[in-house]
Amino acid sequence: MSQMRVNQDLCTLCGACVEACPFAGVVMGEDSIEFTDSCRLCSICVKACPTGAIWLEKTAAGPSFDLKKYKGVLVFAEQRQGEIQPVTYELIGKGLEMAKQLGQDVAVCLAGSNVQTLAEDLLTYGVDKVYLYDYPELEYFRIEPYTAIMVDLVNEIKPNIILMGATPVGRSLAPRVAARLRTGLTADCTTLSVKENGDLVQTRPAFGGDVMAQIITPRHRPQMATVRYKVMPPAETVQPHGEIVHCKTDQAQLQSRITTLGFRPHQVASSITDAEIIVAAGRGIGKPEGLELLEEFAGLIGGVVGTTRPLVEQGWANYNQQIGMSGRTVRPRIFIACGISGAIQLVAGMRGADTIFAINTDPDAPIFDVAHYGIVGDLYEVIPKLIAIIEEGGSLGAISQVG
Ligand SMILES: Cc1cc2nc3c(=O)[nH]c(=O)nc-3n(C[C@H](O)[C@H](O)[C@H](O)COP(=O)(O)OP(=O)(O)OC[C@H]3O[C@@H](n4cnc5c(N)ncnc54)[C@H](O)[C@@H]3O)c2cc1C
Protein backbone atom coordinates (compact mmCIF):
# COMPACT_ATOMS: atom_id res chain seq x y z
CA MET A 1 0.00 0.00 0.00
CA SER A 2 1.27 3.52 -0.79
CA GLN A 3 2.06 5.71 2.19
CA MET A 4 3.37 9.14 3.16
CA ARG A 5 6.99 9.31 4.33
CA VAL A 6 8.94 12.03 6.16
CA ASN A 7 12.67 12.61 6.20
CA GLN A 8 13.15 13.67 9.84
CA ASP A 9 16.55 15.24 9.05
CA LEU A 10 14.93 17.67 6.61
CA CYS A 11 11.69 18.34 8.56
CA THR A 12 11.84 21.64 10.49
CA LEU A 13 8.38 21.14 12.10
CA CYS A 14 7.29 24.41 10.44
CA GLY A 15 3.67 23.18 10.27
CA ALA A 16 3.15 24.17 6.60
CA CYS A 17 1.95 20.64 5.83
CA VAL A 18 -0.54 20.65 8.72
CA GLU A 19 -1.95 23.96 7.54
CA ALA A 20 -2.13 22.90 3.89
CA CYS A 21 -3.94 19.58 4.44
CA PRO A 22 -7.70 19.98 3.78
CA PHE A 23 -8.52 16.61 5.41
CA ALA A 24 -6.77 16.91 8.81
CA GLY A 25 -4.66 14.03 7.52
CA VAL A 26 -1.43 15.37 8.97
CA VAL A 27 -0.96 16.64 12.54
CA MET A 28 1.89 17.94 14.63
CA GLY A 29 3.24 15.26 16.97
CA GLU A 30 5.64 15.84 19.86
CA ASP A 31 8.82 15.77 17.85
CA SER A 32 7.65 14.93 14.34
CA ILE A 33 4.66 15.30 12.08
CA GLU A 34 2.24 12.37 12.00
CA PHE A 35 -0.23 11.13 9.38
CA THR A 36 -3.72 10.25 10.59
CA ASP A 37 -6.37 7.89 9.23
CA SER A 38 -7.88 10.88 7.41
CA CYS A 39 -4.84 11.12 5.10
CA ARG A 40 -5.96 10.60 1.52
CA LEU A 41 -2.48 10.39 0.00
CA CYS A 42 -3.31 13.47 -2.08
CA SER A 43 0.25 14.88 -1.78
CA ILE A 44 -0.88 18.45 -1.06
CA CYS A 45 1.51 18.34 1.93
CA VAL A 46 4.35 17.26 -0.37
CA LYS A 47 3.91 20.43 -2.40
CA ALA A 48 3.48 22.59 0.72
CA CYS A 49 6.66 21.37 2.44
CA PRO A 50 9.36 24.05 1.98
CA THR A 51 12.27 21.66 2.64
CA GLY A 52 11.15 18.69 0.54
CA ALA A 53 10.96 16.48 3.64
CA ILE A 54 7.72 14.69 2.68
CA TRP A 55 7.11 12.27 -0.13
CA LEU A 56 4.56 9.70 -1.19
CA GLU A 57 6.03 6.25 -1.34
CA LYS A 58 4.19 4.40 -4.06
CA THR A 59 4.02 0.65 -3.87
CA ALA A 60 4.05 -1.14 -7.17
CA ALA A 61 0.66 -2.51 -8.26
CA GLY A 62 -0.24 -5.64 -6.34
CA PRO A 63 -0.16 -9.16 -7.69
CA SER A 64 0.05 -8.73 -11.42
CA PHE A 65 -3.35 -7.77 -12.75
CA ASP A 66 -3.54 -8.43 -16.46
CA LEU A 67 -5.25 -5.29 -17.76
CA LYS A 68 -4.99 -6.50 -21.35
CA LYS A 69 -7.45 -9.33 -20.73
CA TYR A 70 -10.21 -6.73 -20.39
CA LYS A 71 -11.72 -5.41 -23.62
CA GLY A 72 -14.79 -3.54 -24.82
CA VAL A 73 -17.57 -1.57 -23.17
CA LEU A 74 -20.50 -3.12 -21.29
CA VAL A 75 -23.62 -1.00 -20.77
CA PHE A 76 -26.19 -2.01 -18.19
CA ALA A 77 -29.58 -1.53 -19.89
CA GLU A 78 -32.06 -0.43 -17.27
CA GLN A 79 -35.63 -1.45 -17.96
CA ARG A 80 -38.62 -0.57 -15.84
CA GLN A 81 -42.04 -2.09 -16.45
CA GLY A 82 -40.78 -3.40 -19.77
CA GLU A 83 -39.48 -0.02 -20.94
CA ILE A 84 -35.83 0.78 -21.51
CA GLN A 85 -34.87 3.84 -19.48
CA PRO A 86 -33.63 6.59 -21.82
CA VAL A 87 -30.27 6.99 -20.04
CA THR A 88 -29.39 3.59 -21.53
CA TYR A 89 -29.36 5.02 -25.06
CA GLU A 90 -27.08 7.83 -23.90
CA LEU A 91 -24.67 5.34 -22.35
CA ILE A 92 -24.71 3.29 -25.55
CA GLY A 93 -23.89 6.46 -27.53
CA LYS A 94 -20.85 7.17 -25.36
CA GLY A 95 -19.88 3.49 -25.27
CA LEU A 96 -19.91 3.27 -29.08
CA GLU A 97 -17.76 6.39 -29.36
CA MET A 98 -15.13 5.08 -26.93
CA ALA A 99 -15.17 1.52 -28.27
CA LYS A 100 -14.63 2.83 -31.81
CA GLN A 101 -11.58 4.74 -30.61
CA LEU A 102 -10.12 1.54 -29.15
CA GLY A 103 -11.29 -0.72 -32.00
CA GLN A 104 -13.37 -2.77 -29.55
CA ASP A 105 -17.00 -3.88 -29.11
CA VAL A 106 -19.97 -2.58 -27.18
CA ALA A 107 -22.15 -5.07 -25.33
CA VAL A 108 -25.32 -4.53 -23.33
CA CYS A 109 -26.58 -6.49 -20.33
CA LEU A 110 -30.37 -6.67 -20.21
CA ALA A 111 -32.24 -8.35 -17.36
CA GLY A 112 -36.00 -8.70 -17.06
CA SER A 113 -38.96 -10.93 -17.74
CA ASN A 114 -40.30 -11.34 -21.29
CA VAL A 115 -37.93 -8.71 -22.60
CA GLN A 116 -36.79 -10.32 -25.87
CA THR A 117 -38.31 -7.43 -27.85
CA LEU A 118 -36.35 -4.93 -25.78
CA ALA A 119 -33.17 -6.82 -26.62
CA GLU A 120 -34.05 -6.60 -30.31
CA ASP A 121 -34.67 -2.86 -29.91
CA LEU A 122 -31.25 -2.40 -28.27
CA LEU A 123 -29.56 -4.00 -31.29
CA THR A 124 -30.93 -1.21 -33.48
CA TYR A 125 -28.63 1.22 -31.64
CA GLY A 126 -25.58 -0.43 -33.18
CA VAL A 127 -24.34 -2.55 -30.26
CA ASP A 128 -22.45 -5.77 -30.99
CA LYS A 129 -24.08 -8.01 -28.39
CA VAL A 130 -27.02 -7.98 -26.03
CA TYR A 131 -26.55 -10.42 -23.15
CA LEU A 132 -30.11 -11.25 -22.20
CA TYR A 133 -31.15 -12.67 -18.83
CA ASP A 134 -34.87 -13.35 -19.27
CA TYR A 135 -36.35 -14.79 -16.05
CA PRO A 136 -39.62 -14.10 -14.18
CA GLU A 137 -37.54 -13.42 -11.05
CA LEU A 138 -35.88 -10.50 -12.84
CA GLU A 139 -39.11 -8.67 -13.69
CA TYR A 140 -38.46 -6.02 -11.04
CA PHE A 141 -35.06 -4.74 -10.00
CA ARG A 142 -33.93 -6.59 -6.90
CA ILE A 143 -30.41 -5.98 -5.80
CA GLU A 144 -29.20 -9.54 -5.05
CA PRO A 145 -30.08 -11.30 -8.34
CA TYR A 146 -29.16 -8.28 -10.47
CA THR A 147 -25.76 -8.06 -8.75
CA ALA A 148 -25.20 -11.80 -9.15
CA ILE A 149 -25.87 -11.85 -12.89
CA MET A 150 -23.84 -8.70 -13.56
CA VAL A 151 -20.84 -10.10 -11.68
CA ASP A 152 -21.14 -13.45 -13.49
CA LEU A 153 -21.33 -11.73 -16.86
CA VAL A 154 -18.37 -9.46 -16.15
CA ASN A 155 -16.25 -12.40 -15.01
CA GLU A 156 -17.21 -14.20 -18.19
CA ILE A 157 -16.72 -11.46 -20.82
CA LYS A 158 -14.17 -9.23 -19.00
CA PRO A 159 -15.17 -5.77 -20.26
CA ASN A 160 -12.69 -2.92 -19.95
CA ILE A 161 -15.41 -0.39 -19.11
CA ILE A 162 -18.86 -0.73 -17.50
CA LEU A 163 -21.40 2.10 -17.77
CA MET A 164 -24.60 2.43 -15.74
CA GLY A 165 -27.16 5.21 -15.36
CA ALA A 166 -26.90 7.33 -12.22
CA THR A 167 -30.53 6.43 -11.51
CA PRO A 168 -31.77 4.95 -8.24
CA VAL A 169 -31.22 1.50 -9.77
CA GLY A 170 -27.73 2.28 -11.09
CA ARG A 171 -26.70 3.98 -7.88
CA SER A 172 -27.70 0.91 -5.95
CA LEU A 173 -26.30 -1.71 -8.34
CA ALA A 174 -22.99 -0.15 -9.40
CA PRO A 175 -21.32 0.02 -5.95
CA ARG A 176 -22.28 -3.57 -5.14
CA VAL A 177 -20.92 -4.84 -8.43
CA ALA A 178 -17.75 -2.75 -8.04
CA ALA A 179 -17.20 -4.08 -4.52
CA ARG A 180 -17.63 -7.70 -5.64
CA LEU A 181 -15.22 -7.14 -8.52
CA ARG A 182 -12.81 -5.20 -6.26
CA THR A 183 -12.54 -2.40 -8.76
CA GLY A 184 -13.03 1.37 -8.89
CA LEU A 185 -16.30 3.18 -9.52
CA THR A 186 -16.82 6.85 -10.26
CA ALA A 187 -20.36 8.08 -9.66
CA ASP A 188 -22.20 10.84 -11.50
CA CYS A 189 -19.66 11.46 -14.26
CA THR A 190 -20.32 14.47 -16.46
CA THR A 191 -17.73 13.64 -19.13
CA LEU A 192 -16.08 10.38 -20.17
CA SER A 193 -13.17 9.84 -22.52
CA VAL A 194 -10.75 7.04 -23.11
CA LYS A 195 -6.98 7.06 -23.52
CA GLU A 196 -5.15 4.97 -26.11
CA ASN A 197 -4.09 2.51 -23.40
CA GLY A 198 -7.74 1.92 -22.48
CA ASP A 199 -7.77 4.03 -19.31
CA LEU A 200 -11.17 5.65 -18.81
CA VAL A 201 -10.93 9.32 -17.87
CA GLN A 202 -13.94 10.00 -15.67
CA THR A 203 -14.72 13.66 -15.06
CA ARG A 204 -17.06 14.73 -12.29
CA PRO A 205 -17.50 17.74 -9.99
CA ALA A 206 -15.63 17.50 -6.70
CA PHE A 207 -15.19 19.62 -3.58
CA GLY A 208 -18.72 20.98 -3.80
CA GLY A 209 -18.41 21.59 -7.52
CA ASP A 210 -15.45 23.95 -7.21
CA VAL A 211 -13.23 21.69 -9.27
CA MET A 212 -13.86 19.16 -12.02
CA ALA A 213 -11.90 16.07 -10.96
CA GLN A 214 -10.52 13.64 -13.55
CA ILE A 215 -10.46 10.15 -12.09
CA ILE A 216 -8.76 7.09 -13.54
CA THR A 217 -8.54 3.48 -12.45
CA PRO A 218 -5.11 2.65 -13.85
CA ARG A 219 -4.37 -0.65 -12.06
CA HIS A 220 -7.71 -2.43 -12.03
CA ARG A 221 -10.34 -3.57 -14.46
CA PRO A 222 -13.14 -3.22 -15.28
CA GLN A 223 -13.44 0.54 -14.92
CA MET A 224 -16.91 1.48 -13.73
CA ALA A 225 -18.79 4.77 -14.07
CA THR A 226 -22.33 5.97 -13.55
CA VAL A 227 -23.69 8.84 -15.64
CA ARG A 228 -26.80 10.91 -15.07
CA TYR A 229 -29.66 11.06 -17.55
CA LYS A 230 -29.44 13.89 -20.12
CA VAL A 231 -25.74 14.52 -19.68
CA MET A 232 -24.77 12.88 -22.98
CA PRO A 233 -26.51 12.69 -26.36
CA PRO A 234 -28.28 9.40 -27.11
CA ALA A 235 -27.10 6.89 -29.72
CA GLU A 236 -28.87 6.97 -33.05
CA THR A 237 -30.62 3.99 -34.57
CA VAL A 238 -28.78 2.15 -37.34
CA GLN A 239 -29.09 -1.06 -39.36
CA PRO A 240 -28.54 -3.72 -36.65
CA HIS A 241 -25.55 -6.03 -36.99
CA GLY A 242 -25.25 -7.44 -33.45
CA GLU A 243 -26.58 -10.60 -31.83
CA ILE A 244 -28.60 -11.55 -28.77
CA VAL A 245 -26.88 -13.96 -26.40
CA HIS A 246 -29.36 -15.82 -24.17
CA CYS A 247 -27.66 -16.21 -20.80
CA LYS A 248 -28.37 -18.88 -18.22
CA THR A 249 -28.06 -18.54 -14.49
CA ASP A 250 -28.67 -20.78 -11.45
CA GLN A 251 -31.97 -20.59 -9.58
CA ALA A 252 -29.91 -19.89 -6.45
CA GLN A 253 -28.57 -16.69 -8.05
CA LEU A 254 -32.12 -15.48 -8.67
CA GLN A 255 -33.21 -15.66 -5.05
CA SER A 256 -33.75 -12.48 -3.09
CA ARG A 257 -34.82 -11.55 0.42
CA ILE A 258 -36.95 -8.83 -1.16
CA THR A 259 -40.45 -9.65 -2.41
CA THR A 260 -41.95 -7.13 -4.79
CA LEU A 261 -45.71 -7.00 -4.21
CA GLY A 262 -46.45 -4.64 -7.07
CA PHE A 263 -45.40 -1.44 -8.69
CA ARG A 264 -47.19 1.88 -8.37
CA PRO A 265 -45.63 4.73 -10.33
CA HIS A 266 -45.22 7.97 -8.42
CA GLN A 267 -47.30 10.63 -10.14
CA VAL A 268 -45.12 13.58 -11.02
CA ALA A 269 -47.00 16.66 -12.24
CA SER A 270 -44.61 17.46 -15.07
CA SER A 271 -41.02 16.42 -15.03
CA ILE A 272 -38.37 19.05 -15.65
CA THR A 273 -36.04 16.27 -16.81
CA ASP A 274 -38.14 15.56 -19.89
CA ALA A 275 -39.33 19.13 -20.54
CA GLU A 276 -38.56 20.71 -23.89
CA ILE A 277 -38.87 24.23 -22.50
CA ILE A 278 -37.84 25.23 -18.98
CA VAL A 279 -38.42 28.60 -17.37
CA ALA A 280 -35.98 28.55 -14.47
CA ALA A 281 -36.43 30.73 -11.41
CA GLY A 282 -33.53 31.90 -9.26
CA ARG A 283 -33.20 33.85 -6.04
CA GLY A 284 -33.67 37.00 -8.12
CA ILE A 285 -37.44 36.44 -8.01
CA GLY A 286 -37.18 37.79 -4.45
CA LYS A 287 -40.55 36.44 -3.25
CA PRO A 288 -42.50 33.18 -3.69
CA GLU A 289 -45.21 34.96 -5.71
CA GLY A 290 -42.59 35.42 -8.44
CA LEU A 291 -43.02 31.74 -9.20
CA GLU A 292 -46.68 32.33 -10.12
CA LEU A 293 -45.61 34.87 -12.72
CA LEU A 294 -43.07 32.44 -14.19
CA GLU A 295 -45.63 29.61 -14.14
CA GLU A 296 -48.02 31.79 -16.13
CA PHE A 297 -45.26 32.54 -18.63
CA ALA A 298 -44.19 28.87 -18.81
CA GLY A 299 -47.81 27.80 -19.36
CA LEU A 300 -48.12 30.16 -22.34
CA ILE A 301 -45.03 28.81 -24.09
CA GLY A 302 -45.63 25.13 -23.27
CA GLY A 303 -42.87 24.93 -20.69
CA VAL A 304 -42.44 23.97 -17.05
CA VAL A 305 -40.87 25.84 -14.15
CA GLY A 306 -37.57 24.66 -12.65
CA THR A 307 -35.64 26.41 -9.90
CA THR A 308 -32.23 26.90 -8.39
CA ARG A 309 -31.34 25.40 -5.02
CA PRO A 310 -31.94 28.46 -2.83
CA LEU A 311 -35.64 28.38 -3.73
CA VAL A 312 -35.88 24.76 -2.63
CA GLU A 313 -34.00 25.55 0.56
CA GLN A 314 -36.42 28.37 1.28
CA GLY A 315 -39.35 26.02 0.82
CA TRP A 316 -40.71 27.92 -2.18
CA ALA A 317 -40.23 25.00 -4.56
CA ASN A 318 -40.00 21.20 -4.41
CA TYR A 319 -36.76 19.31 -4.67
CA ASN A 320 -37.96 17.63 -7.88
CA GLN A 321 -37.89 21.10 -9.48
CA GLN A 322 -34.26 21.77 -8.56
CA ILE A 323 -31.82 21.96 -11.43
CA GLY A 324 -28.10 21.48 -10.92
CA MET A 325 -25.38 19.35 -9.49
CA SER A 326 -27.36 18.29 -6.44
CA GLY A 327 -30.70 18.42 -8.30
CA ARG A 328 -31.77 17.27 -11.77
CA THR A 329 -29.75 17.46 -14.97
CA VAL A 330 -31.81 18.89 -17.80
CA ARG A 331 -31.29 19.12 -21.54
CA PRO A 332 -34.27 21.08 -22.91
CA ARG A 333 -34.50 22.77 -26.29
CA ILE A 334 -35.00 26.13 -24.56
CA PHE A 335 -33.87 27.20 -21.10
CA ILE A 336 -34.88 30.63 -19.82
CA ALA A 337 -32.94 31.63 -16.70
CA CYS A 338 -34.75 34.30 -14.70
CA GLY A 339 -32.90 35.95 -11.83
CA ILE A 340 -30.21 33.27 -11.77
CA SER A 341 -26.55 34.20 -11.22
CA GLY A 342 -25.11 31.13 -13.00
CA ALA A 343 -23.17 29.37 -10.23
CA ILE A 344 -21.08 26.41 -11.42
CA GLN A 345 -23.31 23.96 -9.49
CA LEU A 346 -26.39 25.20 -11.38
CA VAL A 347 -24.67 25.34 -14.76
CA ALA A 348 -23.51 21.72 -14.33
CA GLY A 349 -27.16 20.71 -14.57
CA MET A 350 -28.30 22.80 -17.56
CA ARG A 351 -25.41 23.53 -19.87
CA GLY A 352 -26.63 20.83 -22.30
CA ALA A 353 -29.69 22.96 -23.21
CA ASP A 354 -29.85 23.78 -26.93
CA THR A 355 -30.63 27.47 -26.46
CA ILE A 356 -30.19 29.42 -23.24
CA PHE A 357 -31.83 32.78 -22.57
CA ALA A 358 -30.91 34.73 -19.43
CA ILE A 359 -32.68 37.64 -17.76
CA ASN A 360 -30.67 39.31 -15.01
CA THR A 361 -30.29 42.82 -13.63
CA ASP A 362 -26.53 42.36 -13.26
CA PRO A 363 -24.70 42.65 -16.62
CA ASP A 364 -21.70 40.83 -15.10
CA ALA A 365 -23.69 37.82 -13.87
CA PRO A 366 -21.86 34.60 -14.93
CA ILE A 367 -25.07 33.21 -16.44
CA PHE A 368 -24.43 35.52 -19.41
CA ASP A 369 -21.22 33.54 -20.09
CA VAL A 370 -23.25 30.41 -20.86
CA ALA A 371 -26.35 32.10 -22.32
CA HIS A 372 -26.84 32.37 -26.08
CA TYR A 373 -29.17 35.36 -25.61
CA GLY A 374 -29.26 37.72 -22.66
CA ILE A 375 -31.45 40.53 -21.39
CA VAL A 376 -30.01 42.85 -18.75
CA GLY A 377 -33.12 43.87 -16.89
CA ASP A 378 -35.61 43.30 -14.08
CA LEU A 379 -37.54 40.08 -14.62
CA TYR A 380 -40.63 41.76 -13.18
CA GLU A 381 -40.55 44.17 -16.16
CA VAL A 382 -39.31 41.74 -18.81
CA ILE A 383 -41.61 38.75 -18.15
CA PRO A 384 -44.91 40.73 -18.16
CA LYS A 385 -43.86 42.32 -21.47
CA LEU A 386 -43.13 38.86 -22.91
CA ILE A 387 -46.48 37.57 -21.63
CA ALA A 388 -48.28 40.47 -23.28
CA ILE A 389 -46.51 39.93 -26.62
CA ILE A 390 -47.21 36.19 -26.60
CA GLU A 391 -50.87 36.72 -25.64
CA GLU A 392 -51.16 38.99 -28.65
CA GLY A 393 -50.04 36.10 -30.83
CA GLY A 394 -46.29 36.67 -30.78
CA SER A 395 -43.70 33.94 -30.30
CA LEU A 396 -40.68 33.38 -28.08
CA GLY A 397 -38.67 35.31 -30.63
CA ALA A 398 -40.31 38.27 -28.86
CA ILE A 399 -37.45 38.10 -26.38
CA SER A 400 -35.33 40.01 -28.87
CA GLN A 401 -37.87 42.89 -28.79
CA VAL A 402 -37.75 43.23 -25.03
CA GLY A 403 -34.06 43.73 -24.19
C1 LIG B 1 -22.32 21.24 -2.90
C2 LIG B 1 -23.20 22.27 -3.51
C3 LIG B 1 -24.16 21.85 -4.41
C4 LIG B 1 -25.02 22.78 -4.98
N1 LIG B 1 -25.96 22.36 -5.86
C5 LIG B 1 -26.74 23.26 -6.45
C6 LIG B 1 -27.73 22.85 -7.41
O1 LIG B 1 -27.91 21.67 -7.70
N2 LIG B 1 -28.48 23.80 -7.99
C7 LIG B 1 -28.34 25.13 -7.70
O2 LIG B 1 -29.07 25.96 -8.26
N3 LIG B 1 -27.44 25.54 -6.80
C8 LIG B 1 -26.65 24.64 -6.17
N4 LIG B 1 -25.76 25.06 -5.24
C9 LIG B 1 -25.79 26.48 -4.85
C10 LIG B 1 -25.04 27.37 -5.82
O3 LIG B 1 -23.69 27.46 -5.43
C11 LIG B 1 -25.63 28.81 -5.83
O4 LIG B 1 -25.62 29.31 -4.52
C12 LIG B 1 -27.04 28.88 -6.40
O5 LIG B 1 -27.11 28.27 -7.66
C13 LIG B 1 -27.43 30.35 -6.56
O6 LIG B 1 -28.76 30.41 -6.94
P1 LIG B 1 -29.36 31.68 -7.67
O7 LIG B 1 -28.63 31.93 -8.94
O8 LIG B 1 -30.81 31.47 -7.72
O9 LIG B 1 -29.10 32.86 -6.62
P2 LIG B 1 -28.06 34.02 -6.59
O10 LIG B 1 -26.69 33.52 -6.80
O11 LIG B 1 -28.33 34.80 -5.36
O12 LIG B 1 -28.42 34.91 -7.87
C14 LIG B 1 -29.56 35.72 -7.97
C15 LIG B 1 -29.41 36.50 -9.26
O13 LIG B 1 -30.62 37.19 -9.50
C16 LIG B 1 -30.29 38.47 -10.05
N5 LIG B 1 -31.46 39.33 -9.78
C17 LIG B 1 -31.84 39.86 -8.60
N6 LIG B 1 -33.02 40.51 -8.75
C18 LIG B 1 -33.39 40.37 -10.05
C19 LIG B 1 -34.52 40.82 -10.80
N7 LIG B 1 -35.53 41.49 -10.25
N8 LIG B 1 -34.55 40.50 -12.12
C20 LIG B 1 -33.55 39.79 -12.72
N9 LIG B 1 -32.46 39.36 -12.03
C21 LIG B 1 -32.39 39.62 -10.71
C22 LIG B 1 -29.04 38.88 -9.35
O14 LIG B 1 -28.31 39.82 -10.12
C23 LIG B 1 -28.29 37.53 -9.22
O15 LIG B 1 -27.42 37.32 -10.33
C24 LIG B 1 -24.90 24.15 -4.66
C25 LIG B 1 -23.91 24.56 -3.77
C26 LIG B 1 -23.08 23.63 -3.20
C27 LIG B 1 -22.04 24.09 -2.25
Side-chain angles (χ1 to χ4, degrees):
M1 224 176 82
S2 300
Q3 55 183 314
M4 303 308 304
R5 294 280 191 196
V6 186
N7 182 336
Q8 303 296 353
D9 294 337
L10 293 179
C11 178
T12 59
L13 294 176
C14 68
C17 51
V18 177
E19 214 167 292
C21 179
F23 309 112
V26 49
V27 293
M28 193 61 75
E30 272 189 16
D31 50 9
S32 68
I33 56 159
E34 289 166 8
F35 293 94
T36 70
D37 289 346
S38 305
C39 172
R40 299 198 189 171
L41 305 175
C42 68
S43 293
I44 289 177
C45 55
V46 176
K47 291 183 196 126
C49 177
T51 60
I54 309 174
W55 76 98
L56 172 65
E57 189 176 83
K58 287 191 181 159
T59 321
S64 57
F65 195 92
D66 192 356
L67 304 183
K68 292 201 186 74
K69 277 191 187 159
Y70 290 76
K71 287 206 166 35
V73 178
L74 176 65
V75 172
F76 172 72
E78 186 176 332
Q79 62 83 20
R80 256 184 258 159
Q81 309 291 111
E83 260 183 48
I84 297 287
Q85 295 305 294
V87 68
T88 306
Y89 303 116
E90 298 174 7
L91 299 176
I92 291 174
K94 180 46 85 173
L96 286 168
E97 180 194 312
M98 295 193 294
K100 189 174 171 196
Q101 237 178 296
L102 297 172
Q104 297 176 1
D105 286 354
V106 175
V108 172
C109 173
L110 173 66
S113 175
N114 288 323
V115 285
Q116 168 79 22
T117 49
L118 298 189
E120 285 159 15
D121 168 66
L122 287 165
L123 286 181
T124 66
Y125 288 85
V127 302
D128 301 284
K129 283 199 172 96
V130 176
Y131 292 96
L132 173 61
Y133 289 84
D134 205 335
Y135 288 92
E137 292 86 346
L138 297 174
E139 180 177 3
Y140 297 112
F141 171 73
R142 289 182 302 168
I143 188 72
E144 306 102 310
Y146 271 66
T147 304
I149 59 160
M150 266 304 274
V151 170
D152 275 0
L153 179 62
V154 172
N155 285 331
E156 172 77 25
I157 67 169
K158 299 204 174 356
N160 180 31
I161 294 169
I162 301 178
L163 303 179
M164 293 192 195
T167 59
V169 167
R171 283 179 176 156
S172 167
L173 182 62
R176 279 213 182 205
V177 172
R180 296 262 177 103
L181 297 170
R182 298 189 189 284
T183 191
L185 162 68
T186 305
D188 278 4
C189 297
T190 52
T191 313
L192 293 173
S193 61
V194 72
K195 293 194 201 170
E196 259 174 39
N197 68 357
D199 278 355
L200 179 66
V201 182
Q202 303 157 102
T203 306
R204 57 151 298 150
F207 296 108
D210 287 343
V211 294
M212 295 303 279
Q214 290 199 326
I215 297 163
I216 53 170
T217 311
R219 289 193 288 271
H220 291 275
R221 293 293 185 264
Q223 308 164 87
M224 293 187 60
T226 64
V227 181
R228 282 193 198 188
Y229 176 37
K230 293 263 181 184
V231 169
M232 292 165 184
E236 284 175 12
T237 50
V238 293
Q239 186 61 34
H241 67 274
E243 57 170 321
I244 298 172
V245 181
H246 294 268
C247 301
K248 296 271 169 261
T249 188
D250 292 345
Q251 268 302 316
Q253 301 261 59
L254 296 170
Q255 299 315 305
S256 169
R257 282 170 295 173
I258 303 161
T259 307
T260 309
L261 300 176
F263 185 83
R264 258 189 313 184
H266 174 59
Q267 294 301 333
V268 184
S270 42
S271 160
I272 54 166
T273 317
D274 296 319
E276 292 272 290
I277 300 177
I278 294 178
V279 177
R283 191 155 30 199
I285 64 168
K287 51 191 176 192
E289 294 75 32
L291 280 171
E292 289 165 24
L293 177 69
L294 297 188
E295 264 154 21
E296 184 189 346
F297 176 51
L300 278 173
I301 57 175
V304 299
V305 172
T307 74
T308 60
R309 183 156 116 168
L311 273 60
V312 176
E313 286 170 344
Q314 272 167 302
W316 296 356
N318 292 321
Y319 173 68
N320 61 13
Q321 290 177 285
Q322 183 187 317
I323 299 156
M325 201 181 86
S326 53
R328 307 272 158 108
T329 304
V330 296
R331 213 184 171 92
R333 263 189 319 109
I334 297 173
F335 186 95
I336 307 174
C338 308
I340 291 178
S341 59
I344 181 170
Q345 295 89 352
L346 176 276
V347 172
M350 48 66 79
R351 72 173 135 225
D354 290 348
T355 307
I356 301 169
F357 295 92
I359 304 166
N360 198 304
T361 43
D362 175 6
D364 297 323
I367 192 72
F368 289 125
D369 297 338
V370 289
H372 302 98
Y373 301 93
I375 298 177
V376 177
D378 184 336
L379 70 95
Y380 286 102
E381 289 171 18
V382 176
I383 298 291
K385 277 189 199 165
L386 284 171
I387 290 176
I389 293 171
I390 288 164
E391 278 179 341
E392 279 164 25
S395 72
L396 250 192
I399 283 195
S400 58
Q401 301 165 30
V402 179

